[in-house]
Amino acid sequence: DQQVKQNSPSLSVQEGRISILNCDYTNSMFDYFLWYKKYPAEGPTFLISISSIKDKNEDGRFTVFLNKSAKHLSLHIVPSQPGDSAVYFCAATESYNTDKLIFGTGTRLQVFP
Amino acid sequence: NAGVTQTPKFQVLKTGQSMTLQCAQDMNHNSMYWYRQDPGMGLRLIYYSASEGTTDKGEVPNGYNVSRLNKREFSLRLESAAPSQTSVYFCASSERNTEAFFGQGTRLTVV
């Protein structure tokens, strides 16, 4: 049973527009969430995180929103750039224990000119 | 900055062969991990080591063994490779309860 779900396998966005990547989770004990970005033939790199005591966290062009009641988080990228084209994974864990991250299946974002 | 280094980058094995994937980190992290990535499955944790001298099973440990040789190095061994172990393997490291840093991956094919 997939505890972290990314239901959109792919997303295509025009350069300069907003990209919204979604992630749903089923375990109400999850309290720490992370987004990773992965380019082909490279390992994932950390992008941004949010703890359950917040509902929003921003870092430059990247903002993560958390809706605990809906068990949903989203990553907003504004404005989108061609270099943002990558696979994005969300991950979640309980008790802030990053030894046991549960990853979603990923969303492939393509930003076109 | 080397970060997390994995070797080899590519490997083809025959069913039943054994091999060890090597991983080293130079960030003085306590925790190290082995993940596998399969199409449509995301990243799944195979084994992790929260500190030198300790190892624990993750979500998909069957068919694998690990060794935390020292604080820097964490190896993954396939004793008898099976086609189901065809995957991309990532090693990662982190400090306690912080984000993990990943290596570039090892693409393993078992024929």
Side-chain angles (χ1 to χ4, degrees), chain A residues 35-47 84-89 107-109, chain B residues 37 43 88 90 103-105 107:
Chain A
W35 284 94
Y36 281 83
K37 173 177 171 179
K38 184 184 179 306
Y39 292 118
E42 294 185 11
T45 55
F46 170 72
L47 196 54
D84 296 329
S85 297
V87 177
Y88 290 78
F89 292 98
T107 297
R108 182 178 302 279
L109 173 66
Chain B
Q37 184 194 5
L43 289 133
V88 181
F90 290 100
Q104 287 196 311
R107 186 173 293 274

Side-chain angles (χ1 to χ4, degrees), chain A residues 2 32 34 36 38 41-46 49 87 89 95-106, chain B residues 31 33 35 37 40-43 45 48 50 57 59 90 94-105:
Chain A
Q2 196 84 22
Y32 187 48
L34 303 89
Y36 281 83
K38 184 184 179 306
E42 294 185 11
T45 55
F46 170 72
S49 63
V87 177
F89 292 98
S95 306
Y96 296 85
N97 183 358
T98 53
D99 285 343
K100 294 194 173 182
L101 286 177
I102 305 294
F103 281 83
T105 52
Chain B
S31 298
Y33 315 89
Y35 287 89
Q37 184 194 5
M41 300 292 288
L43 289 133
L45 183 65
Y48 68 99
K57 294 179 180 179
E59 189 182 351
F90 290 100
S94 76
E95 246 334 303
R96 198 83 177 138
N97 297 338
T98 64
E99 69 274 13
F101 293 79
F102 285 80
Q104 287 196 311

